[in-house]
Each structure stands twice: as C-alpha cells, then as structure tokens.
Amino acid sequence: MSKKDLDNGELFFKGARIPINSYWIQNHPGGSKVLRVFDGRDATDQMLAMHSDEAIRKIEAMAGGEKTKALRDAHPKSDFQKLQDIAIEQNLFEASTWREAWKNLYSFGFAFFGIYLLIQGESPWKGAFSLAFGWYQLGWTGHDWGHHTYLPESTTAATWVCDFGCWMSGMLRGNTMLWWKLRHNTHHVVTNEVGADPDIKLAPLFNFFEDFLPSAFTQWQGFYYVPTLILLHAYWYVESWQVNLRQLGSRNRYNRMWAQADLLALVMHTAFFGWLALRQPLPMIFAYALSGLGTALIVFATHYGEERLDWNPEMDLLEQTIKTSRNIGGFLPFELDKEFWFHFSGGLNTQIEHHMFPRMPRHNLRKMTPYVKKLLLDRDFKWKESNLWECTRKCCAQLAANVARNLKMKEV
C-alpha cells in the first residue's frame, strides 16, 4: 500500500469510522505501521486493550464524538470487552507502587552489581552471570514499562513516564524503546497473523509453518533451534540500530524523536559495554549469550509453536489470543513452583492473560485467569498451558515437521 493510499484509509471503533489521514499518520504515538495493518478493519478490542483512558477519549472524538455516541453505545460488546469490564470493576489496572519499585530495584540492581564485579576484575564470571540475569529481568521490566502497566492516572503524561522507563532499561540492555514499540505492539494486536505480525518473520533461519526449500543447513532447524537462541540479545541489538536509523526519516514525528533518543542510548551502551568487553571479552560474550538464551526460551515458547492465522474479520481478540498463545506452567504441583515461574518469566508465563490485558500490572494478571477460563469454556475453546520443556519441545517438533513436509513437497 502506498503512502497516498494509506492517507485515504479508514478503520472502525465501536462501529464508527475513523479516517486514516496524514495528520494521524504523522502524530500517532504508536507509529504508522499499525494503522496500515488495520486499514479497513475493526480495531475496537485492540484499541481498548492498548490505550490509556485519555487516549480512548481522543479516539472517541476521532470517531465522531457526540455525533456517533449513540452508534458507539449501541455497538455490541465483545467477550474481551466484557472481561475488561470485570477487570476495571476490580481495579486490576491499578499498579502497586512498592511492587513496581521492587521489580526495578532487583532488575537494575543485578545488572549494576554485575558491572561492578566485571570492572573490579576479581570475579568476572560471577559478574557476567549477574549482568546476564539483570539484563534478562530488565527485558521483562522494560516490557512492562513499554506496555504502560504503571499508570497512577490513566493519562498521556503518565504513559510518557513509562516510555522513559522503557528507554532507560533499553539503554542498559541495548534493545531500544522505539524498536520494541514498533515490533512488539504490532505483534500484540495481530498475533501470529501471516503478513502482519513482525515477530513471526524468522526466515531464513527458522521456518515454522511456511513453505520453503530446505537447504543442507535449514533442514536441521529443529536441532539447532535451542543453541542459536543464544544469539537473540545480540540480534536484537543489531536490529535496534537498523530500526532507529531507518526511523530518523519517518513521517511520524514521535518515531523521529524516539529514534534520536534511542540512537543516543545505543551509542552510550556500545561505548560502555564495548570498553568493558575489551577488559573482559569472554565473560561479556557469556553475558550476552546467557541473556539471549533465557529471554528467547520464554518469548519463543508461548507463540511460535501455535497456529498461524490469516486475517478473519469474524475473529475477535479472545479467539485470536487463545489460538496463538500458550501459558507456561510449572513442573511441580506446588504453589511455590508456580510462583517461581511467574517471577522468573516476568509474568509472561501468563501469556494468554497478558495478551488480552497488556496494560494490566503483571501482579494482577493471575486474578483474571478464572474469568478467562470460564469464558473459554463457554465458547468451547481449550485452555493451553505447558511447562517450559514441553513448550520448547513443541517448537522443535514443529520445525522438524515443517522440514519433513517441505521435503515431501519437493519430491512431488
């Protein structure tokens, strides 16, 4: 779609039309890509899930304001919206300040303690492990900030505070805020949708469901899947550079602004950790590899082995989420085991709940589980949850099965 075509597009919110014009493209804080994805589509659930109360009021004004209020009020509520009403009634979008403070303390704390040990030089491998764990946890902390899960007031000003927190964690990790927003927020609203979700574009290294011609190397993708996950942190670092350099010329003013801020963060990250890598090369390589492996095992486990979808205007957010997401359970039938995996994964073991309520503070996600399960049961959808071993095995099996399928097609 050309820029001119996009300027004449439209999407729908509660039955009301919102034109996708040049002003919105240039001033949408989420960038223009997601607008392009939803051209001609209903975006009600996705907008409600991703935006603050103040932003929703602006969206309603764009959808006609008082002129279309009766139309919007008469628009039937989706199952997601019914669940969201329950969450609002129970104040589950309200964050706990002390929990947020503790989360940031140990995430940044492990990273800075690791840096101290690496600079000191007496315990470089302990420092590398501490830095890797800090980076790993900062990935979840930055993820929370990027989703605006800490909003004492549901305003645009409060979201800017969250964005700054995301920028800070990105500076320390080397995986920046704008890169994350453009990639991850789009992934959230079109999860596993072919041609729209950037997270499932993994070729040529991995082909989970696509038709492809297996080479002498890629036919072993089911076997090299786990070992190559150690490259994820470094790959995201490189991709952050690429995205931010490209966005310097974006039509969207927020993208241009954050691209400049993120490039500054990348320069500072590269200068400092490059200097540290010259002092402790092997421990630093280990830190990047361990951080990448831990992050990738959690992130990849919950979506990549699940269905790939074509756009279906009849599919609501609840159905899309349950078809494309899987929760990570524990290995033991004890509450302590569940608590461990919840905290270790930054709450992303509750991937189903998180994908429906991305702005909900992680400590409240499990409170929505009974309501989500009941609604899924009413609609004859199966709740999907497996331990990390089974999730990873499922990904490997899908990669191997896709190779076998494509080799068979080649023979025919």
Side-chain angles (χ1 to χ4, degrees):
M1 181 181 292
S2 69
K3 292 180 180 178
K4 183 177 179 181
D5 290 336
L6 182 58
D7 289 355
N8 296 321
E10 62 183 11
L11 53 78
F12 298 89
F13 178 76
K14 294 184 178 180
R17 173 181 173 271
I18 302 180
I20 302 175
N21 53 35
S22 295
Y23 179 82
W24 198 14
I25 292 167
Q26 294 167 10
N27 292 278
H28 181 225
S32 61
K33 179 176 181 178
V34 71
L35 301 181
R36 184 180 300 111
V37 168
F38 275 89
D39 181 30
R41 300 167 61 165
D42 182 272
T44 305
D45 285 355
Q46 289 80 1
M47 284 179 158
L48 290 171
M50 301 295 288
H51 292 87
S52 68
D53 292 347
E54 182 178 345
I56 292 298
R57 289 193 291 271
K58 292 179 181 178
I59 290 168
E60 289 174 342
M62 294 170 64
E66 290 298 321
K67 293 180 181 179
T68 63
K69 187 176 186 303
L71 172 66
R72 299 197 312 271
D73 288 346
H75 193 261
K77 286 190 175 183
S78 67
D79 285 336
F80 159 74
Q81 291 169 52
K82 295 172 185 175
L83 287 171
Q84 189 181 54
D85 286 345
I86 294 173
I88 292 171
E89 289 171 6
Q90 298 191 16
N91 298 318
L92 296 184
F93 289 102
E94 293 186 8
S96 165
T97 300
W98 77 265
R99 287 178 184 270
E100 294 296 317
W102 168 245
K103 176 176 65 180
N104 281 277
L105 179 64
Y106 72 71
S107 298
F108 282 97
F110 271 103
F112 284 124
F113 182 63
I115 290 170
Y116 166 75
L117 291 178
L118 284 162
I119 292 175
Q120 185 187 49
E122 294 181 5
S123 305
W125 290 102
K126 291 180 181 177
F129 185 86
S130 180
L131 176 59
F133 186 73
W135 273 342
Y136 168 78
Q137 287 294 338
L138 277 170
W140 312 140
T141 301
H143 169 267
D144 288 352
W145 284 115
H147 277 305
H148 303 154
T149 61
Y150 182 67
L151 296 180
E153 296 181 356
S154 194
T155 62
T156 300
T159 65
W160 278 96
V161 174
C162 288
D163 285 344
F164 179 72
C166 186
W167 181 84
M168 287 287 292
S169 64
M171 176 178 63
L172 195 54
R173 274 182 57 90
N175 306 143
T176 56
M177 198 275 285
L178 179 60
W179 157 83
W180 182 90
K181 286 249 185 181
L182 295 179
R183 181 184 183 111
H184 190 72
N185 284 349
T186 305
H187 155 75
H188 251 263
V189 295
V190 285
T191 310
N192 281 17
E193 185 177 309
V194 177
D197 183 356
D199 271 11
I200 61 174
K201 297 176 181 178
L202 302 170
L205 191 59
F206 299 123
N207 292 272
F208 277 88
F209 291 88
E210 303 86 345
D211 292 336
F212 76 112
L213 185 62
S215 67
F217 177 71
T218 57
Q219 66 177 317
W220 300 102
Q221 63 176 4
F223 294 93
Y224 65 68
Y225 168 71
V226 173
T228 54
L229 297 185
I230 65 173
L231 301 175
L232 183 74
H233 194 143
Y235 172 72
W236 280 357
Y237 166 78
V238 172
E239 196 174 57
S240 292
W241 275 104
Q242 294 173 334
V243 168
N244 284 288
L245 287 170
R246 189 164 58 245
Q247 291 299 321
L248 285 174
S250 172
R251 298 176 70 191
N252 185 281
R253 68 186 182 98
Y254 289 103
N255 286 7
R256 294 195 303 271
M257 179 194 72
W258 279 115
Q260 294 172 23
D262 278 351
L263 286 171
L264 174 62
L266 284 170
V267 168
M268 290 189 290
H269 177 92
T270 304
F272 178 77
F273 287 103
W275 168 77
L276 198 54
L278 290 175
R279 292 170 57 94
Q280 303 287 354
L282 291 179
M284 283 300 298
I285 291 172
F286 172 79
Y288 276 102
L290 186 60
S291 170
L293 177 63
T295 303
L297 281 173
I298 298 296
V299 171
F300 283 27
T302 54
H303 294 301
Y304 286 165
E306 307 307 315
E307 286 186 59
R308 298 293 164 92
L309 306 173
D310 294 318
W311 174 49
N312 178 358
E314 304 301 320
M315 184 179 298
D316 63 4
L317 183 60
L318 181 76
E319 182 178 356
Q320 182 186 42
T321 299
I322 196 60
K323 284 186 173 182
T324 60
S325 305
R326 179 178 295 268
N327 279 11
I328 300 175
F331 290 87
L332 303 172
F334 303 121
E335 192 63 31
L336 184 61
D337 189 53
K338 295 178 182 178
E339 287 294 322
F340 169 80
W341 285 105
F342 179 79
H343 291 286
F344 185 74
S345 68
L348 287 188
N349 67 324
T350 57
Q351 190 68 262
I352 295 170
E353 298 92 323
H354 165 66
H355 257 253
M356 281 192 283
F357 308 104
R359 292 185 300 107
M360 185 177 289
R362 70 169 79 158
H363 59 269
N364 285 333
L365 286 169
R366 290 177 293 180
K367 295 177 182 178
M368 285 303 299
T369 304
Y371 302 104
V372 176
K373 281 186 172 182
K374 182 180 183 306
L375 195 50
L376 292 176
L377 183 64
D378 292 342
R379 291 183 56 172
D380 290 328
F381 288 136
K382 184 180 178 181
W383 178 263
K384 295 189 292 186
E385 181 172 308
S386 306
N387 62 49
L388 186 58
W389 167 261
E390 286 299 323
C391 288
T392 304
R393 187 195 63 79
K394 190 175 188 297
C395 287
C396 292
Q398 179 58 45
L399 288 167
N402 200 34
V403 169
R405 181 179 68 86
N406 280 276
L407 286 174
K408 187 175 181 179
M409 289 174 59
K410 179 182 176 183
E411 292 173 359
V412 173

